[in-house]
Amino acid sequence: MGLLTKGTPLSWEETVPFLDFIKKHGIAQFINLYHRLKGREGDQLRWGDEIEYTIVKFDHEHKKVRASLRAEELLDRLIAGEEVNNLVGTANKFLWRPEFAAYMVEGTPGVPYGGLLACFNVVEANMMERRVEVQKLLKKDESILSISFPSIGSRDFTFPAHNTTPHDENSVGRSIFFPDDVIFGGHPRFKNLVKNIRGRRGEKVAINVPIFKDKNTPSPFIEDLSTYGDAADFSAAKPDHIYMDHMGFGMGCCCLQVTFQATNVNEARWLYDQLTPITPVLLALSAATPIFRSYLADVDSRWDIISASVDDRTLGERGLAPLTTPAKYKIEKSRYDTTDCYLYPCSAKYNDVPLQMDDSIYAQLIEGGIDEHLSKHIAHMFIRDPLQVFRERIEQDDTKSSEHFETIQSSNWMNMRFKPPPPDAPEIGWRVEFRPTEVQLTDFENAAYCCFVVLLTRVIISFRMTYLLPITMVNENMKRAQKRDAVLNQKFHFRKGLSTCKSSPEGGIGQCDGESNGDIAEMTIKEIICGNGSDFPGLTSLIRQYLDSADVDVDTRCTISQYLSFIEKRASGQISTLAHWVRDFVDKHPAYKHDSSVPDEAIYDLLKKMNDISNGRDHCPNLLGSYRSRTDNLIPSAVRRAEEALVMMQKKRPH
């Protein structure tokens, strides 16, 4: 959830006088950091995943399930265990951190996975152990699920229940659906973000998601919201849409993210670009969120909902009124959206979206010795204002800190993120974060998607593959990826042949090839993943070719083969996305009246079924096919053998 600095948070009104100061010093911090670490070379692939979980409580008597607001209590115990391990010198298997809502926790591996292919054997095992670690602390009828809770904002959706306070001047969100008490209270960042987004925007956020029109859904669909508040409280609601009015409807959803380390800064920039066109493919493949506020939506993912939930643009920046101070530009997108530009020099010809940039920031970067393309990326990010400033942290040493830079960088939530090394962590290099993937119900699925993305980075680097598209096409693909059953029904702009990039990050960034847009066609997800039968073999085929060229033991090959086969079957529609499976479950539930409103009983039965599947008590072929986990909670012999072989090889090298 970004930077978790502690201190006294400033309100938006208190922050405004410091905006230019923070931006100027944030850029100075980046310039210092970049020049200090731009020559860092030879870092090995290290990577890790982040999974966000929802804690739920089942009310079996009334057949209702609620989000359990025990995250802070659980995190206190989980993090205390980490601290004990640190004191006694025991390695942590996992790390736990807070997330936006008081019913959410975020888990990561305790240390990053290494570059050995055999490490793919332990990813799922680590995820399984993480889940068990939390389950040990749960009360009767509680469970932990890697899902976005489908009833966020519906009546009585939390345990314990809390009331909304839309007319209370001290309310941070003023929502008619999402109480302030549901925001995680253990860190000031979260409530302050809600309050400052609303303060900067000049009104609370407005989220309108198209309703799924079932056979009994009224047309137009106009929800009676009068029991939630006054007419002014929901004046932004649109006909035929599900209305939501709080950051929690987006940031209260769960996701799956993967961060990996590059060899150097140039490789990180190049991978950022090459993976950007892949992000819509994974969004469509992982579609998992078809229900919002207990209504079936006509979309399958949370992406645009989160985008709207943190949209702090003023009326002027949205083009709805004249610009007023401190706003300077009409801004086309929310600060949570798709990236607007590539970073690597030879990718620049595909940057066909006009960039709004802070000219003074751009000049500061150029004068500071940052090249044109990276300067544009940073200057474009810095049209956004800092939303989280701590009174004690305003004055900083720009040669030692990157906090002012990160307060803006970490609140530009894009589908990809370019991450400089922290100034105080010499073991961490230049990294790239892959951010669009929807979290999956089971550890097998989450491991499959993580391993797929990481293997794709190895294909890109080894074969010098390029998947670049004009940024406008990536934007269009992201919109298509959210549509209902996009994996089956949509086509996506993609490179139809095997294109390679002649400009090698290892050899510098001055030479570029001359690809054309004529290599781009519209393809289905199945064609992108499995091949089109002619000039494009498919991403999984390229991964298998890479594995054929590598020294892969039998155990590892079997593990990866299961993951790739699973992804191919999901891409082809032989097994369902979670979103499709959920829709089918609701459609067949006896309590559902085919009016788009999902009753408590249906959601209760849905989450009971999900809980049984995620804990291995039930197997669902429609969702998972016939695949069964082969992972082990101990380090597999394959990893040990690979580590021993690496040590022996290093010993044989001449010194």
Side-chain angles (χ1 to χ4, degrees), residues 567-588:
I567 286 172
E568 288 172 336
K569 289 193 174 183
R570 185 158 278 181
S572 66
Q574 294 178 63
I575 54 179
S576 300
T577 63
L578 182 58
H580 183 96
W581 182 83
V582 166
R583 289 181 187 279
D584 190 56
F585 186 98
V586 171
D587 182 69
K588 295 175 180 176

Side-chain angles (χ1 to χ4, degrees), residues 236-486:
K238 296 179 180 179
D240 287 331
H241 285 74
I242 307 161
Y243 174 64
M244 295 168 277
D245 66 347
H246 193 277
M247 184 176 171
F249 286 103
M251 290 298 187
C253 292
C254 295
C255 69
L256 169 68
Q257 296 166 349
V258 185
T259 299
F260 45 89
Q261 182 172 260
T263 301
N264 54 36
V265 62
N266 291 333
E267 184 178 273
R269 291 170 65 173
W270 192 67
L271 281 171
Y272 176 101
D273 291 0
Q274 300 302 330
L275 286 173
T276 292
I278 305 295
T279 55
V281 177
L282 266 293
L283 182 58
L285 263 177
S286 63
T289 322
I291 302 176
F292 298 91
R293 265 192 59 234
S294 298
Y295 284 102
L296 280 171
D298 205 30
V299 297
D300 272 0
S301 81
R302 80 213 188 289
W303 186 264
D304 277 353
I305 288 81
I306 307 183
S307 178
S309 77
V310 295
D311 189 356
D312 69 332
R313 291 175 299 164
T314 65
L315 287 170
E317 288 169 332
R318 284 176 275 152
L320 302 175
L323 287 168
T324 56
T325 305
K328 299 177 182 178
Y329 324 91
K330 181 177 180 294
I331 302 176
E332 296 300 324
K333 295 179 178 179
S334 166
R335 65 199 299 147
Y336 192 119
D337 215 307
T338 51
T339 184
D340 283 325
C341 64
Y342 295 117
L343 307 186
Y344 199 68
C346 70
S347 310
K349 55 182 172 288
Y350 297 102
N351 286 336
D352 60 342
V353 173
L355 287 185
Q356 298 106 348
M357 290 190 300
D358 187 314
D359 292 337
S360 64
I361 293 293
Y362 180 72
Q364 184 183 354
L365 287 158
I366 294 294
E367 290 169 7
I370 308 300
D371 66 87
E372 170 193 356
H373 306 289
L374 189 53
S375 291
K376 286 181 176 178
H377 167 71
I378 301 296
H380 179 55
M381 278 203 308
F382 270 62
I383 63 173
R384 314 288 180 177
D385 289 329
L387 293 172
Q388 189 79 282
V389 178
F390 295 94
R391 191 179 307 279
E392 300 87 347
R393 305 292 298 171
I394 292 173
E395 295 290 341
Q396 297 180 16
D397 184 343
D398 293 341
T399 65
K400 296 179 180 178
S401 174
S402 63
E403 192 173 311
H404 285 328
F405 171 75
E406 284 297 339
T407 196
I408 294 178
Q409 149 101 339
S410 68
S411 61
N412 273 265
W413 296 283
M414 294 176 286
N415 48 342
M416 293 293 301
R417 180 174 286 161
F418 171 72
K419 302 178 76 168
D424 56 352
E427 73 280 6
I428 299 176
W430 296 92
R431 295 152 298 150
V432 175
E433 185 177 22
F434 190 90
R435 297 177 44 79
T437 315
E438 301 255 288
V439 73
Q440 303 298 288
L441 179 60
T442 67
D443 299 310
F444 176 86
E445 297 167 279
N446 286 319
Y449 284 117
C450 288
C451 293
F452 175 79
V453 172
V454 176
L455 283 166
L456 200 54
T457 68
R458 301 307 94 188
V459 168
I460 291 169
I461 290 171
S462 298
F463 297 160
R464 315 311 307 161
M465 301 300 299
T466 181
Y467 300 107
L468 294 179
L469 304 171
I471 286 290
T472 52
M473 290 186 179
V474 179
N475 291 344
E476 175 59 28
N477 283 350
M478 286 293 284
K479 293 186 181 301
R480 296 180 185 182
Q482 299 172 67
K483 293 183 181 295
R484 180 163 43 93
D485 282 333

